Amino acid sequence: MTGFSVTGTARALQAQLGRRAQHNRGAALEITRLLAGRPAPQPTSSMVSHRNFLRVVSLLPAVLLVQGFNPKHHHFAKATQYANSLALAASRADTKIFVKTVAAAKLEDIFSTDEPATVFIPSDNGFKRLLTELNKTEEDLLADDQALRNILSFHVYPEHAKSGDLAYGSEFPMLAGGSIVISRNQRTFSLVDELGRDAHIIKGDLTAGNTIVHIINKVLLPRPT
């Protein structure tokens, strides 16, 4: 049985380090020649190895893209986080009237809850459609805090419901009492309120804290009390 040789091992390590140093010096010399504008000599094996390495590195983004890798889908991607549905609405350019109505109705606690919930937020155009239906101004709407409480709480379902959960014919009991019904027309589905009016989701499955948010194109109305 051959014994362990400290001297032989040391010599092997020294030779390996010498080869690495030669490789690094070759790569550095090639870069220096390129910067100085001098033609490069015939490539050595170390230079070819270094060039191949650089080519592989430069192709990595394209390879990863072809393979379906997307940094947005990984844990290190930066994603905007909203604490609740009200914070999400305040950040959007198309839901400013909703934020005003929540403040006027003093319902910030409902739309800032940590409990599981689904909130259907009407867009500004949705509120403008409602004002046209009612023949009222935005100021009239904001002044009627009791009506706002009834309307806004009819946009909260106290459980999680993503778009895939909105099956045709299903009913969702809302916080204000009463329910919305899911209807489907060809390829799209709609939310039908208690007056038979339908609304469509224009931006769905947004996450805000423990709340699922759907932006809809109309204001849902409960049955008058």
Side-chain angles (χ1 to χ4, degrees), residues 72 77-84 87-88 91-92 206-209:
K72 293 181 180 179
K78 293 182 179 179
T80 303
Q81 300 291 329
Y82 300 101
N84 49 62
L88 186 150
S91 73
R92 296 178 59 91
L206 304 175
T207 302

Side-chain angles (χ1 to χ4, degrees), residues 29-40 51:
L29 286 172
E30 183 179 15
I31 294 172
T32 302
R33 290 190 187 97
L34 289 173
L35 292 176
R38 294 196 296 271
R51 287 176 184 171

